[in-house]
Amino acid sequence: MDAMIKQSQEQKDILVKERRKLDNFTPCIDYNEKRNRNEILFPDNREIDPYDPTTYGYIELGTITGAHGIKGEIKITAVTDFAERLCQKGLRHVKRPTRRSPRRTLLLGGRHRKDDEYLIQIEGIADRDAANGLRGCVLYAREEEKIENLDDDEYMVRDLVGLDVFLKEGYKNEEGCEEGNKFIGIVNGVVLTEDMSSVSGVGQDLIEISLPRGPGGTSSLKDELVLIPFVPQLVPQIDMSTKSIYIDPPFGLLDLTTPARRRLE
């Protein structure tokens, strides 16, 4: 009995030592190391929401609403401007409502049905029951899975956010004074037409610009927002090489501002 007690105590001591090692362990991650195939490197935990894949490298394409027909076609309500992601064969990612992260799947193809609804086919989904089993799932693409063959006047929303905004070269104010190339603010976001109206073809996208109101044009709690229609007449130039947008607003448009809402830290 004494030998058994002694052995038990020795095992307990070993476990305590191992626990202490784990508690004091700090992982060392080399973010420049070569990654193995099919591995995804996630950003710092402080920058992500584990329940929102768009905060760690995914782009939401749409939500699956059910089956179409009996051969495994899937109905999806799109939230992307680039239907190519829903129609071209390739790697995609599906997140079930009960899971935190999306899982890889193969999109076999897709087609537009009506309004913002598309019909897609996913590998392994061959009948109506399997398609209905994906109802409520969200389809994603990875950010590095770039859209190819964009037209010259097409941009990804994420590429516009953060760009510096200037008045176009040669712009003159109401007094006739030259203000060309004057810094105005920073692109804070893009308001898509479908977010404002359910009627297709009505209105246009809007660029939301943050106007700095701090000393010397710096950002402050007094910053304001203004919306500029994203049309060539008002946004004649976008220079991605310098991360700049040049606008030609009519007089008074930049005065139609609203206070910028700031998150409390």
Side-chain angles (χ1 to χ4, degrees), residues 2-245:
D2 291 340
M4 294 178 62
I5 294 175
K6 182 179 180 180
Q7 183 181 10
S8 177
Q9 185 62 45
E10 290 175 350
Q11 291 178 343
K12 179 180 179 182
D13 292 341
I14 292 174
L15 290 174
V16 170
K17 289 180 181 180
E18 293 297 325
R19 171 59 65 185
R20 287 174 179 171
K21 289 181 181 180
L22 291 174
D23 291 342
N24 295 325
F25 174 72
T26 301
C28 180
I29 302 175
D30 181 3
Y31 288 97
N32 294 317
E33 70 174 340
K34 184 178 180 180
R35 308 298 296 177
N36 294 329
R37 185 171 64 89
N38 290 334
E39 284 190 355
I40 295 175
L41 181 61
F42 291 92
D44 191 290
N45 286 340
R46 293 169 295 183
E47 300 176 359
I48 69 172
D49 176 352
Y51 295 96
D52 183 3
T54 62
T55 64
Y56 51 91
Y58 291 91
I59 300 171
E60 183 177 348
L61 303 181
T63 300
I64 294 173
T65 57
H68 177 77
I70 60 174
K71 296 183 178 181
E73 274 196 308
I74 300 166
K75 294 186 293 184
I76 184 170
T77 301
V79 294
T80 176
D81 279 343
F82 299 96
E84 292 90 343
R85 292 184 183 273
L86 294 172
C87 298
Q88 293 180 355
K89 180 179 180 179
L91 186 66
R92 298 296 183 270
H93 309 266
V94 173
K95 177 183 177 298
R96 292 185 177 275
T98 56
R99 294 188 178 273
R100 287 190 179 184
S101 297
R103 293 193 172 185
R104 292 183 180 89
T105 190
L106 180 63
L107 179 70
L108 300 177
R111 57 191 173 92
H112 181 243
R113 188 187 184 207
K114 62 178 181 179
D115 299 329
D116 57 356
E117 185 177 88
Y118 286 77
L119 301 178
I120 63 174
Q121 291 181 300
I122 291 177
E123 185 179 47
I125 305 300
D127 57 43
R128 185 176 182 84
D129 288 340
N132 274 327
L134 294 177
R135 183 183 284 115
C137 294
V138 180
L139 187 69
Y140 293 89
R142 288 288 300 174
E143 287 186 353
E144 60 266 24
E145 296 163 0
K146 298 288 188 180
I147 290 292
E148 298 180 355
N149 302 321
L150 290 178
D151 292 337
D152 292 338
D153 61 346
E154 290 185 325
Y155 302 91
M156 299 293 289
V157 170
R158 67 173 184 274
D159 293 333
L160 297 176
V161 174
L163 298 188
D164 292 330
V165 182
F166 301 87
L167 293 175
K168 75 166 190 174
E169 186 175 355
Y171 184 87
K172 294 183 179 180
N173 61 22
E174 287 185 275
E175 288 73 33
C177 297
E178 176 74 36
E179 290 190 336
N181 297 317
K182 177 183 176 181
F183 176 72
I184 296 298
I186 298 174
V187 177
N188 189 65
V190 177
V191 181
L192 301 177
T193 303
E194 54 263 34
D195 293 336
M196 299 180 289
S197 174
S198 59
V199 181
S200 178
V202 175
Q204 62 277 314
D205 298 336
L206 302 172
I207 295 179
E208 183 183 72
I209 302 173
S210 177
L211 308 177
R213 299 307 192 195
T218 59
S219 181
S220 75
L221 293 175
K222 296 182 180 180
D223 288 358
E224 296 178 310
L225 299 177
V226 66
L227 295 173
I228 303 290
F230 194 15
V231 294
Q233 294 83 353
L234 302 185
V235 186
Q237 182 183 358
I238 298 177
D239 188 343
M240 297 304 297
S241 64
T242 61
K243 305 296 183 182
S244 303
I245 287 183

